[in-house]
Amino acid sequence: MAGKRLLFVLGLVGIVSVAGGAVVYAITREFSVIPLSLVWGGLLSLLIFFYVNFTEIRAFVSKRSTKHGANMAVMITIFVAIIGLIGVMSVRYKIRVDLTETGRYSLSQQSVKILKSLENDVEAVAFYRSDERSRQAMHDLLKEYSYHTTRFRFWFVDPDKRPIEAAKYGVTSYRTTLIRSRGKQEIVGYESEEKVTNALLRVIGDEVKIIYFLKGHGEKSLQDDREAGYKSAREAIEKEAYEVRELLLVNEERVPEDAAILVVAGPQKDILPAELVKIRRYVDGGGSVLFLLDPLLTPEISKILQDYGFKIGNDIIIDKQSKMLGANYLTPVVMEYNQKHTIGRDFSFVTFFPVARSVAVQEDPVRGRYNLAETGSSSWAKSKGKLDEEEIEFNPTEDQRGPINLAAVSVIKVEDGENRPLAEIDERGDAGAPTPKSDLEEGVNRWGRIIVVGDSDFASNAYLNLMGNMDFFLNMIGWLAEEAALVSVRKKPAELTPLTLTDTQTNLVFWLCVVLAPASMLAIGVGVVGRRRWMS
């Protein structure tokens, strides 16, 4: 009996000794004398234990209950392994679905597109206290950015616990996030995707591109905050990391060389011939121009644009479908976009163009000519007769039946221009620009770009934030500036969705929640107590 106890203790000591050796190794990370002695001593004790008790162990293993127990242990091990494998797979291969209407918990297509096009590493250093309430919001936001690319990484620094780290980056206030890349740095002060993406654009961009707005002919003012003004358009463009300036071309010898785009937004008077020559020289030299032309104005500009393949209608587009969407007949609605061009590809938002004219080109992919947006079949273009808003009817002898194109694009090959490497074109994603086969071997020539829209009001303060107007406007700016990553759909602001109840619904909620439900529970309780007393 004493011998068996001794052997039992020997086996127990062997197990403890092996486990102790493993723990010491796990702590010290060295197979020194102590863990080695414990492991070998334990194994020797176990060997002696199994040798002496071999007969009993074999009999125990041969028992039916032991086999069932072993079978159960194997099944449990397999089950645990499957659960663990599912856990590992779910961490490494995640699929997330954001069911909110505005995609509140997801990045916009534009941010994702920019992240996927990153060529250099970007890091975000967020300086937040550990107990700061807004820390979690910024953490979730930065985690979304890192989810889409391995080139974006982030970490948090608590300025109270690590003041030297904060001093190293020159941060003196809480709730500050630094976006850094290639030696450039931008500061973000709020937990906003818009702020982070704009900072990201500034640190990855080689230069700040300048967009000039022509003035002097009654164009939309960039400082005007009234309904017809372009203050919102200017602010939206600046958020895309561009610089916006006004240009009085009559005083200049030429369009400035640093102009990425020239925008002609709703001129009320025709541009002087000398100015048209300068604009034409700019386009023919590889410049980009966006014309936003309102109906029945600027015939000289229309003539010049004919040379680039545009047909500018001297008409007004009428669309009865717009009435169903809350607009008037003179605000055509666009839901069809050219899927062959970068600007219209995957763009599915409704856009409104108050008081618009027709603009079209003869489509020619080789020459980069595409119609971008067209109205529905219920619209028509009216160029003759009087316009009576009370009795608007389609006249088949005078009017042009829809769909009507109201935006078009054309590119112009630069004669004797400096060739640009084909690889540079491909990286910028110039879908829609022609690439003649003859140029593919030696490189691609430079191209001027023109977009003409038969309306300027769609980008005004009153209409810019309406449905897809802002995205369509900024996508045209992005394409003209050769920023393919900016041709996308932007984040929509999260809107409050109040629940409005009628008086009857309010009373129903009150009676159900405040009166009936508690009263029902009270009645059930009283009934149970009464039944027990009656039964006893």
Side-chain angles (χ1 to χ4, degrees):
M1 193 66 182
K4 285 189 176 180
R5 287 182 179 175
L6 181 62
L7 286 174
F8 176 74
V9 172
L10 184 64
L12 187 62
V13 168
I15 294 174
V16 172
S17 180
V18 171
V23 171
V24 172
Y25 170 74
I27 295 174
T28 62
R29 294 292 179 183
E30 291 183 2
F31 237 138
S32 58
V33 176
I34 295 177
L36 198 61
S37 301
L38 289 172
V39 171
W40 280 112
L43 291 176
L44 183 61
S45 300
L46 290 174
L47 182 63
I48 295 173
F49 174 79
F50 285 119
Y51 178 75
V52 174
N53 295 284
F54 180 75
T55 305
E56 290 82 356
I57 293 174
R58 186 175 63 179
F60 175 76
V61 172
S62 303
K63 287 183 178 178
R64 193 171 182 178
S65 59
T66 305
K67 292 181 179 178
H68 284 298
N71 185 46
M72 180 63 70
V74 170
M75 296 299 291
I76 292 174
T77 303
I78 293 175
F79 178 75
V80 172
I82 291 175
I83 295 297
L85 185 61
I86 292 174
V88 172
M89 295 289 285
S90 64
V91 171
R92 299 190 61 179
Y93 304 99
K94 291 179 283 189
I95 297 177
R96 295 177 293 180
V97 179
D98 188 350
L99 299 178
T100 58
E101 184 178 2
T102 58
R104 176 176 299 185
Y105 304 106
S106 304
L107 296 182
S108 65
Q109 293 182 20
Q110 183 195 43
S111 297
V112 174
K113 202 170 181 180
I114 293 170
L115 288 169
K116 291 187 179 299
S117 66
L118 286 180
E119 298 176 355
N120 299 288
D121 292 338
V122 177
E123 60 183 29
V125 189
F127 293 85
Y128 284 70
R129 292 197 313 268
S130 301
D131 58 350
E132 194 129 4
R133 295 179 60 184
S134 55
R135 176 191 171 102
Q136 187 61 45
M138 179 55 86
H139 181 274
D140 294 342
L141 181 61
L142 296 178
K143 191 175 181 181
E144 279 294 315
Y145 278 78
S146 64
Y147 173 76
H148 293 281
T149 177
T150 57
R151 288 194 174 278
F152 187 96
R153 63 192 185 95
F154 70 96
W155 65 90
F156 278 76
V157 174
D158 187 335
D160 291 342
K161 297 179 179 178
R162 299 167 61 187
I164 297 178
E165 189 80 0
K168 172 185 171 185
Y169 288 99
V171 174
T172 57
S173 59
Y174 303 116
R175 206 179 176 186
T176 299
T177 301
L178 304 181
I179 308 297
R180 299 158 53 89
S181 180
R182 300 186 303 168
K184 293 195 287 186
Q185 173 176 295
E186 289 289 331
I187 299 175
V188 178
Y190 299 97
E191 302 75 30
S192 160
E193 180 190 340
E194 180 182 322
K195 300 288 185 185
V196 174
T197 298
N198 290 341
L200 183 62
L201 286 172
R202 285 192 285 272
V203 298
I204 65 174
D206 294 326
E207 58 180 350
V208 177
K209 294 187 175 180
I210 303 173
I211 298 176
Y212 286 91
F213 277 71
L214 189 68
K215 70 175 185 178
H217 317 87
E219 291 90 348
K220 305 291 185 184
S221 171
L222 298 175
Q223 285 73 41
D224 191 352
D225 58 0
R226 294 173 295 179
E227 290 187 352
Y230 260 40
K231 184 179 180 182
S232 297
R234 174 176 61 82
E235 293 174 347
I237 293 173
E238 289 175 341
K239 287 179 180 177
E240 302 276 294
Y242 297 110
E243 183 176 339
V244 179
R245 297 178 185 174
E246 290 184 322
L247 175 65
L248 189 61
L249 190 56
V250 70
N251 291 337
E252 305 288 339
E253 291 186 3
R254 61 178 67 88
V255 176
E257 294 182 355
D258 58 357
I261 305 174
L262 175 64
V263 180
V264 183
Q268 300 301 303
K269 301 291 184 182
D270 245 326
I271 299 174
L272 296 175
E275 293 175 293
L276 287 174
V277 170
K278 296 172 188 175
I279 294 174
R280 186 159 191 160
R281 191 183 305 152
Y282 170 67
V283 173
D284 294 343
S288 299
V289 183
L290 174 60
F291 288 98
L292 307 176
L293 305 178
D294 292 318
L296 310 178
L297 297 172
T298 61
E300 294 302 320
I301 298 178
S302 301
K303 289 180 184 177
I304 292 294
L305 290 174
Q306 287 179 8
D307 297 340
Y308 295 106
F310 292 95
K311 182 182 179 182
I312 314 298
N314 190 28
D315 51 26
I316 294 178
I317 300 176
I318 298 169
D319 188 356
K320 285 200 169 185
Q321 187 181 13
S322 58
K323 196 76 173 179
M324 294 185 290
L325 298 174
N328 57 47
Y329 292 153
L330 298 181
T331 303
V333 179
V334 172
M335 291 183 282
E336 296 293 332
Y337 307 91
N338 195 329
Q339 297 298 312
K340 298 178 183 177
H341 196 276
T342 304
I343 296 175
R345 189 175 305 146
D346 300 328
F347 191 83
S348 58
F349 290 94
V350 175
T351 48
F352 294 84
F353 296 83
V355 191
R357 70 198 304 178
S358 64
V359 174
V361 294
Q362 183 67 41
E363 290 204 351
D364 185 355
V366 176
R367 305 176 70 179
R369 293 178 178 176
Y370 294 89
N371 293 308
L372 292 178
E374 65 179 20
T375 61
S377 57
S378 61
S379 63
W380 68 87
K382 189 174 187 61
S383 58
K384 297 179 181 178
K386 290 185 177 180
L387 189 61
D388 186 355
E389 292 191 34
E390 300 298 328
E391 297 182 3
I392 296 180
E393 295 295 337
F394 174 71
N395 186 339
T397 61
E398 296 180 349
D399 302 336
Q400 178 188 352
R401 171 64 76 182
I404 305 294
N405 293 300
L406 51 69
V409 58
S410 179
V411 297
I412 300 92
K413 182 179 178 181
V414 177
E415 298 296 338
D416 300 324
E418 179 184 355
N419 284 349
R420 194 171 43 161
L422 178 61
E424 186 178 348
I425 291 284
D426 290 340
E427 289 171 0
R428 294 178 178 180
D430 286 4
T435 53
K437 289 184 178 179
S438 58
D439 291 331
L440 293 178
E441 297 177 356
E442 299 179 3
V444 179
N445 287 332
R446 296 171 58 223
W447 303 87
R449 302 179 176 209
I450 300 178
I451 293 178
V452 182
V453 181
D455 177 43
S456 66
D457 295 315
F458 82 100
S460 64
N461 297 330
Y463 293 94
L464 185 65
N465 291 311
L466 188 63
M467 301 299 285
N469 282 22
M470 180 185 289
D471 284 319
F472 190 69
F473 175 68
L474 293 179
N475 284 356
M476 289 190 291
I477 294 291
W479 185 81
L480 288 170
E482 301 183 35
E483 297 284 356
L486 299 183
V487 182
S488 186
V489 178
R490 288 144 190 87
K491 187 80 171 179
K492 301 297 180 187
E495 298 179 351
L496 294 175
T497 53
L499 178 62
T500 305
L501 301 178
T502 63
D503 291 341
T504 304
Q505 292 170 331
T506 303
N507 292 332
L508 179 64
V509 170
F510 173 78
W511 281 97
L512 282 176
C513 299
V514 181
V515 179
L516 295 180
S520 300
M521 297 302 296
L522 180 62
I524 293 173
V526 171
V528 171
V529 172
R531 182 174 181 277
R532 285 181 177 177
R533 289 188 175 181
W534 181 76
M535 293 292 291
S536 61

